[in-house]
Amino acid sequence: MQSVNLQEKFDLIDQYWSPRVAGELNGQYVKLAKLKGHFLWHLHEGEDELFLVVKGRLTILLRGEDVTLEAGEFLIAPRGVAHKPVAEEEAHVLLFEPKTTVNTGNIRDERTIAEPQIV
Amino acid sequence: MQSVNLQEKFDLIDQYWSPRVAGELNGQYVKLAKLKGHFLWHLHEGEDELFLVVKGRLTILLRGEDVTLEAGEFLIAPRGVAHKPVAEEEAHVLLFEPKTTVNTGNIRDERTIAEPQIV
């Protein structure tokens, strides 16, 4: 049975805003993503999404309040709630969400990754 | 919306082998546990279980192979697979698993926590 070293997996990711699958359990994915810059406003109609910062800092803009996460902190964005992730510097983030979750939620544009790769 | 700082939550946990609920999403719990010593052999019939080591070292004994996790490493113990967590020194561990998962799986003894507290 194979353990997963987060740092080794992040080292393999060479694109920002491109979540990769690092584990699967109970119909959910553990994804890893390197983030830098501003993502788009979006929401997930039927899926809650967890962001755990492993390295760096991530701000999640919400309508009316922003939440900034440092390494070792997580936020659960509830289903239906619009959010916009922003990382002024490179951040390494672990996501936990249903397998069906698409990174851009209710929006489809050139940043949409419908079928994330395994890292 | 409230972020969760892992270290602050671990500081509130004063018992070993007593997972506390730090988040809920999509029918799953994020749990935090301080582990030290040997737990019991058990399995979860219908639930996969993720162990992410945040601090320290955790060995998961499996039938025929052991996996040792350092901080920043995770293992998914698949449903139906017997396992026995062992931490020679105190380890801080984040768990992802269905809300229905009981810490001692198919075994019921004095260490069973059927309804984990929120931390």
Side-chain angles (χ1 to χ4, degrees):
Chain A
M1 207 169 298
Q2 193 62 43
S3 64
V4 173
N5 181 293
L6 297 180
Q7 188 57 58
E8 287 177 10
K9 294 298 188 186
F10 280 116
D11 288 344
L12 297 173
I13 299 176
D14 55 4
Q15 281 185 291
Y16 293 125
W17 306 109
S18 182
R20 306 291 164 86
V21 176
E24 178 182 343
L25 70 166
N26 306 304
Q28 319 288 309
Y29 274 150
V30 179
K31 294 179 186 169
L32 302 178
K34 281 185 179 169
L35 309 183
K36 187 175 180 183
H38 288 236
F39 204 53
L40 66 164
W41 279 103
H42 67 283
L43 59 82
H44 308 278
E45 287 290 357
E47 298 145 335
D48 312 315
E49 185 170 40
L50 181 145
F51 299 82
L52 169 65
V53 175
V54 176
K55 185 176 166 187
R57 175 184 293 141
L58 175 66
T59 297
I60 301 185
L61 307 186
L62 301 152
R63 303 293 191 197
E65 58 174 335
D66 302 340
V67 177
T68 294
L69 303 171
E70 309 283 345
E73 297 183 335
F74 74 78
L75 180 77
I76 295 170
R79 59 192 65 192
V81 173
H83 55 281
K84 172 184 167 82
V86 172
E88 297 299 344
E89 304 294 333
E90 179 176 296
H92 295 186
V93 177
L94 181 152
L95 302 157
F96 187 55
E97 56 195 20
K99 289 175 65 176
T100 48
T101 302
V102 174
N103 62 329
T104 56
N106 60 323
I107 308 293
R108 289 295 179 277
D109 74 1
E110 71 282 359
R111 288 166 289 189
T112 299
I113 296 172
E115 295 189 10
Q117 299 170 35
I118 292 171
V119 67
Chain B
M1 207 170 298
Q2 193 61 46
S3 64
V4 173
N5 180 292
L6 296 181
Q7 187 58 57
E8 286 177 10
K9 293 299 187 186
F10 279 117
D11 287 346
L12 298 173
I13 299 175
D14 54 4
Q15 281 185 291
Y16 293 124
W17 305 108
S18 181
R20 306 291 165 87
V21 176
E24 177 181 343
L25 71 166
N26 306 304
Q28 318 289 309
Y29 274 152
V30 179
K31 293 180 186 169
L32 303 178
K34 281 185 179 169
L35 310 183
K36 187 175 181 183
H38 288 236
F39 204 54
L40 66 163
W41 278 104
H42 67 283
L43 59 83
H44 308 279
E45 286 290 358
E47 298 145 335
D48 312 314
E49 186 170 41
L50 181 145
F51 299 82
L52 170 64
V53 175
V54 176
K55 185 175 167 188
R57 176 183 292 140
L58 174 67
T59 297
I60 300 184
L61 307 186
L62 302 151
R63 303 292 190 201
E65 58 173 338
D66 302 342
V67 176
T68 294
L69 303 171
E70 309 283 346
E73 297 183 334
F74 75 76
L75 180 77
I76 296 171
R79 59 193 66 194
V81 172
H83 54 281
K84 173 185 168 81
V86 173
E88 297 299 344
E89 303 295 333
E90 179 176 296
H92 295 186
V93 177
L94 182 153
L95 302 157
F96 281 137
E97 55 195 21
K99 289 175 64 177
T100 48
T101 301
V102 174
N103 62 330
T104 55
N106 59 324
I107 308 294
R108 289 295 178 276
D109 75 1
E110 72 282 359
R111 289 166 289 190
T112 298
I113 297 173
E115 295 188 13
Q117 298 170 36
I118 292 171
V119 68

